[in-house]
Amino acid sequence: MSEVKIFAGTNSLRLAEKIAKNYGKKLGDLTMSKFSDGEMSPSFDESIRGCTVFIIQSTNPPSDNILELCLMIDAAKRASAYKVCAVIPYFGYARQDRKDRPRVSIAAKLIANMLTSAGADRIMACDLHAGQIQGFFDIPLDHLSGSAIFAPYLSTLKLPNMIFAAPDVGGVARARSFAKHFEVEMVVCDKHRKRANEIASMQVIGDVEGKDVILVDDLVDTAGTLCKAAQIIMEKGATSVRAIVTHGVLSGKAYENIENSVLEELVITDTITLKQQSSKIRVLSVAELFAKAIHAVIGNTSISSLFI
């Protein structure tokens, strides 16, 4: 069995340190140099010849971090690593997974091609925006679920009338899996957009009166959809509204929107480093989840136990 070495991209250093600690190893030494014009040049400061290398890098904000990840993969392959696994807690550009209007890019497929061409032998990600992105890769992809992190936390809340809600039609499958696990009902918020990050209208399908509602989504960007859904749910007679979201992109006026919303709390994970603190935002770590997945990959064992 080849030696395992874990390295971090500059965007996910804190999370990578936690993953390595949970796995039982120290992070490997890597230097990311930059030319004055911004060109990046990664170099491994220790031998990785014949090793199974895991490179941890979330791709948010996407452009530089995706290129940095590709460069690290290429450097590892050229340094004679046995296998290279790109661990991407948050996979950027996942919202562009199809042609939803004429003359646009399918960016998620392009990124998949880039990572494969760079030399990745395996991908590990968490809660892809669309499940079909797994099919964009011609190499193995381990798709982990944040449900393993959120379910134990929700159990500690002991909410008397818990019900799950999807903030849009695309999130129905996620909300349904939680509803099935906790043996409760679910509702759907049907929204119509004028353009990206701008909602034209929204309505709730289902009864939320007297319920403690948990909104479920894979990512929160400007938090416009989430806060709008929470407002409408409260207007329909809900007792409380919380949200569990795997990836806290939190751009634009997201923090302001959340603070001014009716949300009791927003629970996210550390796949993306929190830019600022908020009294309404709670962060749970995916480090143990990824460490267990790495153990499973190395030991050629199933990762089924990591799902609810």
Side-chain angles (χ1 to χ4, degrees):
M1 184 179 294
S2 64
E3 184 181 356
V4 175
K5 293 199 175 184
I6 302 173
F7 296 89
T10 55
N11 192 45
S12 297
L13 182 59
R14 192 177 303 171
L15 174 58
E17 287 173 342
K18 293 179 185 177
I19 293 173
K21 183 178 180 180
N22 274 273
Y23 183 81
K25 292 186 76 74
K26 289 185 178 180
L27 278 181
D29 293 326
L30 178 143
T31 299
M32 182 62 66
S33 304
K34 278 196 175 185
F35 292 93
S36 61
D37 66 350
E39 280 188 21
M40 294 171 285
S41 177
S43 62
F44 292 90
D45 299 332
E46 58 188 85
S47 175
I48 56 173
R49 184 179 296 273
C51 297
T52 299
V53 174
F54 290 84
I55 301 174
I56 302 168
Q57 175 83 310
S58 280
T59 55
N60 173 263
S63 301
D64 278 359
N65 293 310
I66 289 172
L67 181 56
E68 182 182 294
L69 176 57
C70 288
L71 290 171
M72 287 190 290
I73 293 169
D74 181 67
K77 295 298 285 189
R78 294 178 187 279
S80 300
Y82 172 60
K83 296 284 186 184
V84 179
C85 176
V87 180
I88 312 173
Y90 171 69
F91 184 87
Y93 282 105
R95 285 172 283 186
Q96 299 181 53
D97 62 310
R98 65 199 184 282
K99 288 190 70 172
D100 55 355
R101 60 188 188 278
R103 299 174 295 281
V104 296
S105 168
I106 303 179
K109 173 59 177 169
L110 174 61
I111 301 304
N113 289 345
M114 288 171 59
L115 293 169
T116 304
S117 297
D121 297 291
R122 188 181 205 98
I123 303 293
M124 189 179 292
C126 183
D127 281 342
L128 294 169
H129 185 65
Q132 66 264 25
I133 292 173
Q134 297 173 73
F136 292 176
F137 290 89
D138 294 323
I139 56 176
L141 188 150
D142 297 299
H143 188 203
L144 307 181
S145 172
S147 60
I149 307 297
F150 293 124
Y153 173 73
L154 292 176
S155 296
T156 66
L157 297 179
K158 301 186 185 303
L159 298 173
N161 297 301
M162 185 163 61
I163 188 173
F164 290 89
D168 53 38
V169 175
V172 169
R174 294 184 190 90
R176 184 179 291 121
S177 67
F178 278 97
K180 183 178 180 181
H181 176 75
F182 286 97
E183 298 180 336
V184 296
E185 297 299 317
M186 65 163 286
V187 299
V188 180
C189 299
D190 182 36
K191 71 179 179 184
H192 169 64
R193 287 192 187 276
K194 284 183 177 179
R195 56 185 68 89
N197 298 125
E198 186 175 330
I199 301 167
S201 63
M202 178 180 287
Q203 61 183 351
V204 178
I205 303 172
D207 181 23
V208 295
E209 189 170 354
K211 304 292 186 180
D212 297 297
V213 181
I214 312 292
L215 282 158
V216 182
D217 213 346
D218 65 307
L219 68 89
V220 52
D221 192 351
T222 62
T225 295
L226 209 61
C227 295
K228 178 80 170 178
Q231 181 66 42
I232 293 174
I233 286 170
M234 288 299 290
E235 289 172 359
K236 294 289 184 181
T239 303
S240 67
V241 184
R242 288 174 171 81
I244 53 173
V245 183
T246 307
H247 309 298
V249 178
L250 300 174
S251 65
K253 295 184 177 180
Y255 288 94
E256 180 183 337
N257 291 339
I258 291 164
E259 285 292 336
N260 296 330
S261 73
V262 298
L263 284 168
E264 293 266 337
E265 66 175 348
L266 168 63
V267 187
I268 60 174
T269 74
D270 56 355
T271 57
I272 298 172
T273 303
L274 200 65
K275 299 180 185 72
Q276 66 184 69
Q277 297 300 314
S278 169
S279 61
K280 287 193 175 184
I281 299 177
R282 178 184 293 271
V283 181
L284 305 179
S285 183
V286 294
E288 185 178 357
L289 177 67
F290 275 96
K292 287 179 178 178
I294 292 172
H295 272 294
V297 167
I298 296 301
N300 294 314
T301 58
S302 173
I303 64 169
S304 296
S305 61
L306 303 180
F307 298 86
I308 64 170

